[in-house]
Amino acid sequence: MHQVIDGKKISEQIQSEIAAEVAVIKSSGGKVPHLAAVLVGNDGASETYVNGKVKACEKVGFKSSLHRMENSVSENDLLKKISDLNNDADIDGFIVQLPLPKHINVPKITEAVSPAKDVDGFHPVNTGRMLQNIPCYLPATPYGIMLLLERYKIETSGMHCVVLGRSNIVGLPVSVLLERNTYPGNCTVTVCHSKTKNIPEITQTADILITAIGKPEFVTADMVKNGAVVIDVGITRIKSSETKSGYRLIGDVKFDDVAPKCSYITPVPGGVGPMTITALLKNTLAASRKEIYK
Ligand code: NAP
């Protein structure tokens, strides 16, 4: 019998834990954690993500600030804004919402953020520290997945973990985290990407299968081993006449088909998705406490 991993419930639990910690900080006259977000342009999806982050900050009692910039902003002006945020003592951590307009060099922007305030965990210093298992800000989605494995006490040691996707924000870091000598971790990890041959043969050997490719219902029951743990990161928005919004979200896994074979499985929506913001809040709390960079 499979268990559905309830990301919404775990996310609410962790957010109430954070809120309780913020209440203690406030009652003892400490500094309230402050997360800032830089939003360039007015891309609809980015607006939604940033609004979700601001709302979550309010919910747990953090201070938040939104720094909007025109789509036509020059790279220099954006770098200046980042430098201001790096030097603003009230701001504990900040994010620059991606994607950025084509004329902006994203790696240059990522590297301009002070590693100590890089609560998205995208700066190469944080990536390098993650590789060497040195305390760092973990990227939010992979961190959210680790929190789910932890909260459900899912055994990972010695397991074969197959990761579909190798992006810098999900596939690559999640493969590193599950390979590290820690819990969750100690897996033997295989990473598959668009050039991998015989993906079904590989996924069939996975004790833990993590999919982050953005191909709706790519993973079917015949690709999954009996008793596997399946974590579906994929989110694809498709048009639907059945919902009020006119669209619905589909994961990389054909849920109804695959779920009966699993020990644990995450749904889409309501699995990994809600954990991403929660992980960002955890990083911001750690930043305000100077837990990682003293
Ligand atoms: P991405 O940057 O587009 O990377 C996709 C990865 O999948 C690439 O490594 C690509 O291989 C691989 N891939 C594509 N088609 C494949 C195929 N047919 N077989 C095997 N591998 C294939 O995407 P991303 O940013 O990592 O996001 C992945 C998915 O997760 C998307 O649906 C996104 O919406 C979702 N997501 C969800 C959250 C959340 O909070 N739940 C957060 C971030 C992303 P190559 O490297 O060879 O091109």
Side-chain angles (χ1 to χ4, degrees), residues 56-82:
C57 282
E58 283 166 11
K59 209 171 131 198
V60 298
F62 286 3
K63 192 170 163 187
S64 69
S65 52
L66 179 55
H67 302 259
R68 285 178 177 275
M69 306 198 82
E70 295 290 326
N71 205 53
S72 58
V73 67
S74 70
E75 195 172 275
N76 274 343
D77 285 350
L78 183 53
L79 288 169
K80 167 81 176 62
K81 168 60 78 183
I82 290 171

Short mmCIF file of all heavy atoms in Angstrom, two decimals, residues 56-82:
data_model
loop_
_atom_site.label_atom_id
_atom_site.label_comp_id
_atom_site.label_asym_id
_atom_site.label_seq_id
_atom_site.Cartn_x
_atom_site.Cartn_y
_atom_site.Cartn_z
N ALA A 56 4.27 34.23 2.22
CA ALA A 56 4.78 33.25 3.18
C ALA A 56 5.59 33.96 4.27
O ALA A 56 5.51 33.58 5.45
CB ALA A 56 5.64 32.21 2.47
N CYS A 57 6.33 35.01 3.89
CA CYS A 57 7.10 35.78 4.87
C CYS A 57 6.14 36.39 5.89
O CYS A 57 6.37 36.32 7.10
CB CYS A 57 7.86 36.91 4.19
SG CYS A 57 9.34 36.36 3.36
N GLU A 58 5.06 37.00 5.39
CA GLU A 58 4.08 37.62 6.30
C GLU A 58 3.52 36.58 7.26
O GLU A 58 3.38 36.82 8.45
CB GLU A 58 2.92 38.23 5.49
CG GLU A 58 3.29 39.54 4.84
CD GLU A 58 2.29 39.96 3.78
OE1 GLU A 58 1.20 39.35 3.68
OE2 GLU A 58 2.62 40.91 3.03
N LYS A 59 3.21 35.39 6.70
CA LYS A 59 2.59 34.33 7.50
C LYS A 59 3.47 33.91 8.69
O LYS A 59 2.97 33.67 9.78
CB LYS A 59 2.33 33.12 6.59
CG LYS A 59 1.14 32.29 7.02
CD LYS A 59 0.81 31.26 5.98
CE LYS A 59 0.66 29.91 6.61
NZ LYS A 59 0.74 28.80 5.67
N VAL A 60 4.77 33.81 8.47
CA VAL A 60 5.64 33.37 9.57
C VAL A 60 6.17 34.53 10.40
O VAL A 60 6.89 34.31 11.38
CB VAL A 60 6.83 32.51 9.06
CG1 VAL A 60 6.34 31.24 8.39
CG2 VAL A 60 7.74 33.28 8.13
N GLY A 61 5.83 35.75 10.02
CA GLY A 61 6.25 36.92 10.82
C GLY A 61 7.54 37.57 10.37
O GLY A 61 8.10 38.42 11.06
N PHE A 62 8.07 37.16 9.20
CA PHE A 62 9.28 37.81 8.66
C PHE A 62 8.89 39.17 8.09
O PHE A 62 7.74 39.41 7.72
CB PHE A 62 9.87 37.03 7.47
CG PHE A 62 10.58 35.75 7.80
CD1 PHE A 62 10.65 35.25 9.09
CD2 PHE A 62 11.19 35.02 6.78
CE1 PHE A 62 11.31 34.06 9.35
CE2 PHE A 62 11.85 33.83 7.04
CZ PHE A 62 11.91 33.34 8.32
N LYS A 63 9.91 40.02 7.97
CA LYS A 63 9.75 41.23 7.20
C LYS A 63 10.11 40.87 5.75
O LYS A 63 10.98 40.02 5.52
CB LYS A 63 10.75 42.25 7.75
CG LYS A 63 10.57 43.65 7.29
CD LYS A 63 11.49 44.54 8.14
CE LYS A 63 11.67 45.87 7.44
NZ LYS A 63 12.67 46.69 8.12
N SER A 64 9.42 41.47 4.79
CA SER A 64 9.81 41.22 3.39
C SER A 64 9.78 42.53 2.63
O SER A 64 9.06 43.46 3.01
CB SER A 64 8.87 40.21 2.74
OG SER A 64 7.60 40.77 2.57
N SER A 65 10.59 42.60 1.58
CA SER A 65 10.51 43.79 0.73
C SER A 65 10.68 43.37 -0.72
O SER A 65 11.43 42.43 -1.02
CB SER A 65 11.55 44.83 1.13
OG SER A 65 12.83 44.25 1.18
N LEU A 66 9.92 44.02 -1.57
CA LEU A 66 9.93 43.69 -2.99
C LEU A 66 10.56 44.84 -3.75
O LEU A 66 10.15 46.00 -3.60
CB LEU A 66 8.48 43.44 -3.45
CG LEU A 66 8.27 43.10 -4.91
CD1 LEU A 66 9.11 41.89 -5.32
CD2 LEU A 66 6.79 42.78 -5.16
N HIS A 67 11.58 44.53 -4.54
CA HIS A 67 12.30 45.57 -5.30
C HIS A 67 12.05 45.33 -6.78
O HIS A 67 12.61 44.40 -7.36
CB HIS A 67 13.79 45.51 -4.96
CG HIS A 67 14.05 45.68 -3.48
ND1 HIS A 67 14.46 46.86 -2.93
CD2 HIS A 67 13.87 44.82 -2.44
CE1 HIS A 67 14.55 46.71 -1.61
NE2 HIS A 67 14.20 45.47 -1.29
N ARG A 68 11.16 46.14 -7.33
CA ARG A 68 10.78 45.96 -8.75
C ARG A 68 11.69 46.78 -9.65
O ARG A 68 12.02 47.92 -9.33
CB ARG A 68 9.34 46.45 -8.97
CG ARG A 68 8.31 45.50 -8.43
CD ARG A 68 6.92 46.10 -8.65
NE ARG A 68 5.90 45.19 -8.21
CZ ARG A 68 5.41 44.21 -8.96
NH1 ARG A 68 5.83 44.04 -10.20
NH2 ARG A 68 4.49 43.40 -8.48
N MET A 69 12.04 46.18 -10.79
CA MET A 69 12.84 46.91 -11.77
C MET A 69 12.23 46.68 -13.15
O MET A 69 11.65 45.62 -13.41
CB MET A 69 14.29 46.45 -11.74
CG MET A 69 14.88 46.52 -10.32
SD MET A 69 16.66 46.48 -10.25
CE MET A 69 17.08 48.16 -10.57
N GLU A 70 12.38 47.67 -14.01
CA GLU A 70 11.82 47.57 -15.37
C GLU A 70 12.50 46.44 -16.15
O GLU A 70 13.68 46.16 -15.93
CB GLU A 70 12.08 48.88 -16.14
CG GLU A 70 11.35 50.10 -15.58
CD GLU A 70 9.86 50.03 -15.81
OE1 GLU A 70 9.45 49.48 -16.85
OE2 GLU A 70 9.12 50.50 -14.94
N ASN A 71 11.78 45.89 -17.11
CA ASN A 71 12.33 44.85 -17.97
C ASN A 71 13.57 45.36 -18.72
O ASN A 71 14.48 44.59 -19.04
CB ASN A 71 11.26 44.43 -18.98
CG ASN A 71 11.49 43.04 -19.49
OD1 ASN A 71 11.63 42.11 -18.70
ND2 ASN A 71 11.59 42.91 -20.79
N SER A 72 13.59 46.68 -18.95
CA SER A 72 14.69 47.28 -19.73
C SER A 72 15.88 47.67 -18.83
O SER A 72 16.83 48.29 -19.33
CB SER A 72 14.16 48.53 -20.43
OG SER A 72 13.64 49.41 -19.44
N VAL A 73 15.83 47.32 -17.56
CA VAL A 73 16.91 47.74 -16.64
C VAL A 73 18.29 47.29 -17.19
O VAL A 73 18.40 46.19 -17.76
CB VAL A 73 16.68 47.14 -15.22
CG1 VAL A 73 16.83 45.63 -15.21
CG2 VAL A 73 17.62 47.76 -14.20
N SER A 74 19.29 48.17 -17.02
CA SER A 74 20.62 47.77 -17.53
C SER A 74 21.26 46.80 -16.51
O SER A 74 20.90 46.80 -15.33
CB SER A 74 21.51 49.00 -17.69
OG SER A 74 21.83 49.51 -16.42
N GLU A 75 22.22 46.03 -17.01
CA GLU A 75 22.91 45.08 -16.13
C GLU A 75 23.59 45.84 -14.99
O GLU A 75 23.56 45.40 -13.84
CB GLU A 75 23.93 44.32 -16.96
CG GLU A 75 24.44 43.09 -16.27
CD GLU A 75 25.30 42.26 -17.21
OE1 GLU A 75 24.72 41.46 -17.96
OE2 GLU A 75 26.53 42.45 -17.18
N ASN A 76 24.15 47.01 -15.32
CA ASN A 76 24.84 47.80 -14.29
C ASN A 76 23.90 48.25 -13.19
O ASN A 76 24.25 48.23 -12.01
CB ASN A 76 25.54 49.01 -14.91
CG ASN A 76 26.91 48.63 -15.42
OD1 ASN A 76 27.44 47.58 -15.04
ND2 ASN A 76 27.46 49.45 -16.30
N ASP A 77 22.70 48.69 -13.60
CA ASP A 77 21.74 49.14 -12.57
C ASP A 77 21.29 47.97 -11.70
O ASP A 77 21.09 48.13 -10.49
CB ASP A 77 20.53 49.84 -13.23
CG ASP A 77 20.90 51.24 -13.71
OD1 ASP A 77 22.01 51.70 -13.37
OD2 ASP A 77 20.10 51.86 -14.44
N LEU A 78 21.14 46.82 -12.31
CA LEU A 78 20.75 45.64 -11.52
C LEU A 78 21.89 45.27 -10.56
O LEU A 78 21.65 44.97 -9.38
CB LEU A 78 20.39 44.48 -12.46
CG LEU A 78 19.90 43.19 -11.81
CD1 LEU A 78 18.73 43.42 -10.85
CD2 LEU A 78 19.48 42.17 -12.87
N LEU A 79 23.12 45.35 -11.06
CA LEU A 79 24.28 45.05 -10.19
C LEU A 79 24.35 46.05 -9.04
O LEU A 79 24.70 45.70 -7.90
CB LEU A 79 25.58 45.07 -11.01
CG LEU A 79 25.76 43.88 -11.96
CD1 LEU A 79 26.92 44.12 -12.92
CD2 LEU A 79 26.01 42.58 -11.17
N LYS A 80 23.99 47.31 -9.33
CA LYS A 80 24.01 48.35 -8.29
C LYS A 80 22.98 48.01 -7.21
O LYS A 80 23.23 48.12 -6.01
CB LYS A 80 23.73 49.71 -8.97
CG LYS A 80 23.42 50.86 -8.05
CD LYS A 80 24.73 51.47 -7.47
CE LYS A 80 24.50 52.68 -6.61
NZ LYS A 80 23.71 52.51 -5.42
N LYS A 81 21.79 47.59 -7.67
CA LYS A 81 20.73 47.20 -6.72
C LYS A 81 21.22 46.05 -5.83
O LYS A 81 21.05 46.06 -4.62
CB LYS A 81 19.47 46.81 -7.52
CG LYS A 81 18.38 46.12 -6.75
CD LYS A 81 17.81 46.92 -5.60
CE LYS A 81 16.84 47.98 -6.07
NZ LYS A 81 16.37 48.78 -4.90
N ILE A 82 21.88 45.07 -6.46
CA ILE A 82 22.38 43.92 -5.69
C ILE A 82 23.43 44.37 -4.67
O ILE A 82 23.40 43.93 -3.51
CB ILE A 82 22.94 42.84 -6.66
CG1 ILE A 82 21.75 42.23 -7.42
CG2 ILE A 82 23.72 41.77 -5.92
CD1 ILE A 82 22.12 41.32 -8.54
#
